[in-house]
Amino acid sequence: MSEKSGIPVSTLSKVEHNRLTLSYDKLQQVSQRLNLRMSDLFADGDGDEPRRVTGRRSLAKLEDAARVTTDNYDYFYLCTDLRQKRMIPIITRIRKHTAAEFGELVRHHGEEFIYVIKGSIEVHTEFYDPVTIEEGEGIYLDSSMGHAYLTATGCEEAVVLGVCSSADDGLMDSLMHLHG
């Protein structure tokens, strides 16, 4: 270690036995010479866990999407050939115009990002006033907060790209249970 880091053995021994701490400059020298990020020097864990590379890939075509129609939306679930995804990409057609038409706000695990492709939407949430999102704009929110997407005033139908994510397993099942 001394040879690789350029720090004398006696200094490293003192650091190892908590009798000395390295200065920022010395820590930077160690990280550079060992080809590590500075944060890796302070990371918890044994470091023996290999980085998991899955090499997964899926092409998204609307005609291959799994379509689910509800009273409020037409969902087109993309990349359905990949199982146990951490992100669920969905193209959604929004038809409802008012909160009364929509009904109870939707809640599920995780977070989501919605980007308006066509039209404009009004986003209703449990804790915030409604906000209008125009074509070419998006919103990111906590999905466990009640929420609903409606077409904005003057818009008959809107199309959005949504990406739902969760660290919890079973996100897809959770989303599908929303549809009954």
Side-chain angles (χ1 to χ4, degrees):
M1 178 69 153
S2 174
E3 190 176 300
K4 286 184 178 182
S5 68
I7 296 178
V9 172
S10 59
T11 302
L12 290 174
S13 177
K14 289 176 187 174
V15 169
E16 190 175 46
H17 292 96
N18 289 324
R19 292 187 305 222
L20 182 70
T21 57
L22 295 178
S23 67
Y24 178 80
D25 292 341
K26 290 292 182 188
L27 287 171
Q28 194 171 32
Q29 176 183 332
V30 169
S31 70
Q32 286 173 348
R33 291 196 179 178
L34 296 178
N35 199 23
L36 296 169
R37 295 176 305 204
M38 181 81 86
S39 61
D40 290 340
L41 296 175
F42 301 102
D44 286 340
D46 58 12
D48 290 337
E49 297 175 25
R51 186 176 191 155
R52 210 175 101 185
V53 178
T54 61
R56 295 175 6 134
R57 176 186 114 155
S58 177
L59 299 175
K61 295 181 182 179
L62 197 58
E63 61 264 18
D64 295 334
R67 183 177 181 176
V68 176
T69 300
T70 69
D71 290 340
N72 296 321
Y73 307 126
D74 287 330
Y75 293 102
F76 296 86
Y77 286 90
L78 303 170
C79 303
T80 56
D81 56 325
L82 289 180
R83 301 291 180 230
Q84 299 177 339
K85 296 186 289 285
R86 286 281 184 98
M87 297 186 309
I88 309 293
I90 311 162
I91 297 287
T92 306
R93 285 198 182 109
I94 300 169
R95 297 184 306 274
K96 296 297 181 180
H97 302 284
T98 67
E101 278 182 296
F102 186 89
E104 190 175 327
L105 297 176
V106 173
R107 290 174 183 76
H108 53 88
H109 295 292
E111 300 175 327
E112 62 193 77
F113 175 74
I114 301 295
Y115 182 83
V116 180
I117 297 170
K118 178 182 163 205
S120 58
I121 63 172
E122 195 172 272
V123 181
H124 290 248
T125 59
E126 186 173 4
F127 303 122
Y128 298 93
D129 290 334
V131 61
T132 300
I133 309 295
E134 303 289 340
E135 194 170 302
E137 298 177 341
I139 186 169
Y140 189 104
L141 56 87
D142 175 353
S143 303
S144 64
M145 170 178 58
H147 58 283
Y149 305 117
L150 308 171
T151 59
T153 304
C155 182
E156 196 57 35
E157 180 181 89
V159 177
V160 301
L161 168 64
V163 180
C164 297
S165 72
S166 176
D168 298 337
D169 289 334
L171 174 60
M172 188 65 172
D173 289 338
S174 174
L175 292 173
M176 294 308 281
H177 279 82
L178 292 174
H179 311 311

